Amino acid sequence: MTVSNVINDRPHVRPATRERVLEAMARLDYRVNVAARNLRKGRTGTIGLAVPEVNSAYYGRLAAALVAAAARHGLRVSIEQTGARREDELAALTLSRNRLYDGLILATVGMGPADAGLLRVDHPVVILGERIFGGPVDHVAMPNVEASAAATRHLVERGCRRVAILCGELRDEVDVSGLRHSGYRQALQAAGLAAGPELVQCLPSLTMDAGARRVRAMVADGLDFDGLFCVTDTVATGALRGLADAGVRVPGQVRVIGFDNVDTSAFLVPSLSTVDPDHDLMAERAVALLAARIGRTGPPAEQVEFVSGYSLVIRESTA
Amino acid sequence: MTVSNVINDRPHVRPATRERVLEAMARLDYRVNVAARNLRKGRTGTIGLAVPEVNSAYYGRLAAALVAAAARHGLRVSIEQTGARREDELAALTLSRNRLYDGLILATVGMGPADAGLLRVDHPVVILGERIFGGPVDHVAMPNVEASAAATRHLVERGCRRVAILCGELRDEVDVSGLRHSGYRQALQAAGLAAGPELVQCLPSLTMDAGARRVRAMVADGLDFDGLFCVTDTVATGALRGLADAGVRVPGQVRVIGFDNVDTSAFLVPSLSTVDPDHDLMAERAVALLAARIGRTGPPAEQVEFVSGYSLVIRESTA
DNA sequence: TTGTAGGCGTTATCAG
DNA sequence: CTGATAACGCCTACAA
């Protein structure tokens, strides 16, 4: 159709004809039907993003970066909230397989290493996070262990000798809590410091509220600690509040460091030292990997595993 | 096709036949093609959500609620980040008109009352926010003026006599800053208090950083104020930080109140008093309105204008 | 440079 | 209860 050529800005259309077409389109208030185009092309121009919750400092930040990166690649992003539930994560995979999306960026939180086989799908998927390390798909991760060790080391260098950690339940070694806890443990060991079990405080959920409650309890119980590594800034925010409630001075009596470098962290009182994992780079890489697979024809490319860098951001809470 | 009947769980299929179909589907690893279904049905099952930025405490919270509400209505949500730019907001409208989405929830921030005519489109749109009050579409808003007046009144009742406001540029009367500023002004007037121009502090952007800087400058300039109404919690968070930097005690010397009841507000030190506009209700209504229009055949329904309720959350910053 | 034919995968309609 | 047929709107290939 000549009309199609006009719509898609293709050459070989005489200016006069193009005008005539444009005029008719205007007159009829014509709109392309994207659904029909999608069917014909076998592409939708949309990728799925499955995260536990967009209303979280961390995933919100990441989602914003991913949407922006996708826009740069000419892709739209449809968001699926999985609530960190395994079945909802699998549901997102299914939708994607049904060609609703050209590809999927999946934050695996509920799924575990045992589910790696389910990822062996015939269409583009990029995993965000580390729970399914070494699975048969592209993978974008953070240097959790190294960065956590660096954060812990920082506390030690500032003179802390009794460093506690606030993490989630330690179910296995491959989730955020597991990895960051192991970095913490390595750093203490390397420094020749004890990491007694009383210093490892596992929360039922990684929320501000849980962090605040637990810290108050720790102080009330007379637990002896002078450093606190929180596995996320969200938990750290709660912890700072809890310490204030308990009348503990930060950094005077206890130094605190978080992980994620969430926007508010710089504005807390005291401002929160933290690990910055370069969200924008992670987002760009994730989208770039996906876009490459989407565009690809012929034999599938090798799986890529990208680990972002990190930097320590030192603020008042460890001054 | 009998196959179609099986896939869609329709009656009038003999069990034996159903089994045969299911078996074949499993054997062939068959997947429905959503693009084809969309074309045929004239629906995509997806609605668009156009907001300035998902990585903002307020829009992130709202987006999460909207995605959840949409899921309850059997709809997916595709996110468009407009950066509060008028042209990007219009672009979202166009995509929606192209039947990429069944409907659109649009936070008009860049568009103004002059653009109301552009909203006269023939397909479902719900406007979020108030910049295009009274336009030809459904509309979900907050009681900005009343709630701001209540917040200001609260400061006055706690004894503040010199109440300042931190808002954005006052370009017109219909954006967030304009409306909340006018509530502030009404409350002061009703209380018989002066609202000198020096108390109205307009920021270049509603960010934590801008809030912190401005507050430091206000104190450094020796501005006399004992109450501070911030038009968003984000700005208030920065303001609390700025006051701490300047050595001003909250609520001792200055009482502070925000607007939005963002998650972190309860955990700041001091915790932030604020206005809670019931995001979940707004989200539910917005999606319900859109879903009703999508499902509707026949003559278009009347435009609905829903204004959420609000509640004052009193915390330490105004104790 | 323009136009014609056909098919992408699904489902509504209606006949068997 | 099952199946044949046509059409949703677009684009690629090819023909004129």
Side-chain angles (χ1 to χ4, degrees), chain B residues 113-147:
Chain B
D115 297 314
L118 297 174
L119 295 176
R120 197 172 298 284
V121 295
D122 55 355
H123 79 128
V125 171
V126 171
I127 299 292
L128 220 54
E130 5 322 79
R131 271 184 71 68
I132 305 184
F133 218 74
V137 286
D138 290 339
H139 193 248
V140 171
M142 284 189 223
N144 278 301
V145 179
E146 298 81 342

Side-chain angles (χ1 to χ4, degrees), chain A:
Chain A
M1 203 85 104
T2 297
V3 174
S4 181
N5 286 329
V6 172
I7 291 175
N8 296 289
D9 262 333
R10 266 190 281 266
H12 307 310
V13 178
R14 214 188 327 158
T17 316
R18 152 170 280 117
E19 280 316 314
R20 264 199 320 140
V21 171
L22 290 175
E23 185 277 327
M25 279 172 47
R27 185 159 42 78
L28 301 172
D29 194 35
Y30 168 86
R31 313 277 159 196
V32 287
N33 180 319
V34 182
R37 180 180 283 175
N38 287 345
L39 173 59
R40 175 65 232 236
K41 291 198 159 178
R43 294 263 182 92
T44 65
T46 298
I47 62 175
L49 170 62
V51 293
E53 238 249 310
V54 275
N55 180 38
S56 100
Y58 173 64
Y59 285 112
R61 173 89 178 69
L62 204 57
L66 285 164
V67 171
R72 282 195 295 275
H73 287 262
L75 294 164
R76 279 174 299 279
V77 175
S78 191
I79 290 196
E80 220 84 34
Q81 291 193 133
T82 61
R85 285 177 298 270
R86 175 173 175 278
E87 64 260 40
D88 286 21
E89 292 172 3
L90 290 174
L93 260 177
T94 300
L95 281 180
S96 174
R97 193 159 38 200
N98 288 357
R99 299 161 172 285
L100 175 62
Y101 305 135
D102 291 344
L104 180 70
I105 295 179
L106 175 60
T108 48
V109 178
M111 292 170 67
D115 297 313
L118 297 174
L119 295 175
R120 197 173 298 285
V121 294
D122 54 356
H123 79 127
V125 172
V126 170
I127 298 293
L128 219 55
E130 7 320 81
R131 272 186 68 69
I132 306 184
F133 218 74
V137 286
D138 290 340
H139 193 248
V140 171
M142 284 189 221
N144 279 300
V145 178
E146 298 81 341
S148 298
T152 307
R153 205 158 48 232
H154 169 67
L155 290 173
V156 172
E157 283 164 1
R158 290 289 161 115
C160 301
R161 286 297 166 266
R162 299 270 305 163
V163 180
I165 181 175
L166 235 44
C167 53
E169 300 293 350
L170 295 174
R171 266 185 292 272
D172 51 35
E173 292 292 306
V174 296
D175 64 1
V176 167
S177 288
L179 293 166
R180 295 184 186 172
H181 167 261
S182 103
Y184 155 84
R185 187 165 287 275
Q186 283 176 21
L188 288 190
Q189 204 151 27
L193 292 175
E198 76 282 5
L199 291 172
V200 179
Q201 298 280 336
C202 301
L203 306 174
S205 65
L206 297 178
T207 60
M208 290 183 273
D209 191 48
R213 281 173 197 277
R214 179 59 59 89
V215 162
R216 284 193 295 261
M218 286 161 65
V219 174
D221 292 352
L223 180 67
D224 174 31
F225 67 108
D226 58 4
L228 181 61
F229 169 49
C230 303
V231 298
T232 72
D233 276 13
T234 298
V235 167
T237 302
L240 286 179
R241 176 69 222 192
L243 289 169
D245 290 335
V248 174
R249 279 174 289 108
V250 176
Q253 295 170 268
V254 171
R255 281 169 222 271
V256 179
I257 191 164
F259 200 118
D260 282 343
N261 196 20
V262 153
D263 290 345
T264 41
S265 295
F267 293 88
L268 298 175
V269 181
S271 58
L272 180 67
S273 294
T274 188
V275 173
D276 184 332
D278 202 341
H279 305 96
D280 291 329
L281 179 59
M282 287 180 63
E284 176 56 39
R285 292 309 281 241
V287 173
L289 284 171
L290 203 58
R293 286 211 183 258
I294 290 171
R296 188 172 195 85
T297 53
E302 300 219 319
Q303 292 125 33
V304 176
E305 188 160 310
F306 173 75
V307 179
S308 83
Y310 72 93
S311 48
L312 235 50
V313 183
I314 310 302
R315 302 204 182 100
E316 295 168 352
S317 68
T318 60

Side-chain angles (χ1 to χ4, degrees), chain B residues 50-310:
Chain B
V51 292
E53 238 250 307
V54 275
N55 182 37
S56 99
Y58 174 65
Y59 285 111
R61 172 91 177 69
L62 204 57
L66 285 164
V67 171
R72 283 195 294 276
H73 286 262
L75 294 164
R76 279 174 298 280
V77 175
S78 190
I79 291 195
E80 221 84 33
Q81 291 192 135
T82 61
R85 285 177 298 268
R86 174 173 176 279
E87 63 260 40
D88 286 21
E89 291 172 3
L90 290 174
L93 260 177
T94 300
L95 281 179
S96 174
R97 194 158 38 201
N98 287 357
R99 299 161 175 285
L100 175 61
Y101 307 134
D102 291 344
L104 179 70
I105 295 179
L106 174 60
T108 47
V109 180
M111 292 170 68
D115 297 314
L118 297 174
L119 295 176
R120 197 172 298 284
V121 295
D122 55 355
H123 79 128
V125 171
V126 171
I127 299 292
L128 220 54
E130 5 322 79
R131 271 184 71 68
I132 305 184
F133 218 74
V137 286
D138 290 339
H139 193 248
V140 171
M142 284 189 223
N144 278 301
V145 179
E146 298 81 342
S148 298
T152 307
R153 205 157 47 233
H154 170 68
L155 290 173
V156 172
E157 284 163 1
R158 290 290 161 116
C160 300
R161 286 296 166 268
R162 299 273 303 162
V163 181
I165 181 175
L166 234 44
C167 54
E169 301 294 350
L170 295 175
R171 266 185 291 272
D172 50 36
E173 292 292 303
V174 297
D175 66 358
V176 166
S177 287
L179 293 167
R180 297 185 186 171
H181 167 260
S182 102
Y184 154 84
R185 187 164 288 276
Q186 283 177 21
L188 287 190
Q189 205 150 24
L193 292 174
E198 75 282 5
L199 290 172
V200 179
Q201 297 283 335
C202 301
L203 307 174
S205 65
L206 296 178
T207 60
M208 292 183 272
D209 191 47
R213 281 173 197 278
R214 179 59 59 90
V215 162
R216 284 193 296 259
M218 286 161 66
V219 175
D221 292 353
L223 180 68
D224 174 30
F225 67 108
D226 58 4
L228 182 61
F229 169 48
C230 303
V231 297
T232 71
D233 276 13
T234 299
V235 168
T237 302
L240 287 180
R241 176 68 221 190
L243 289 169
D245 290 336
V248 174
R249 278 173 292 108
V250 176
Q253 296 171 267
V254 171
R255 282 169 221 271
V256 179
I257 192 165
F259 200 119
D260 283 345
N261 195 19
V262 152
D263 289 346
T264 41
S265 295
F267 293 88
L268 298 175
V269 181
S271 57
L272 179 67
S273 294
T274 186
V275 173
D276 184 333
D278 201 341
H279 304 94
D280 291 329
L281 179 59
M282 288 180 62
E284 176 56 38
R285 291 310 280 241
V287 173
L289 283 172
L290 202 58
R293 286 211 182 257
I294 291 172
R296 186 169 195 87
T297 53
E302 299 219 319
Q303 291 126 33
V304 176
E305 187 160 311
F306 173 76
V307 179
S308 83
Y310 72 93

Side-chain angles (χ1 to χ4, degrees), chain B residues 1-2 5 12-14 17 39-40:
Chain B
M1 203 81 103
T2 297
N5 287 327
H12 307 310
V13 177
R14 215 192 326 161
T17 317
L39 172 59
R40 179 62 231 227

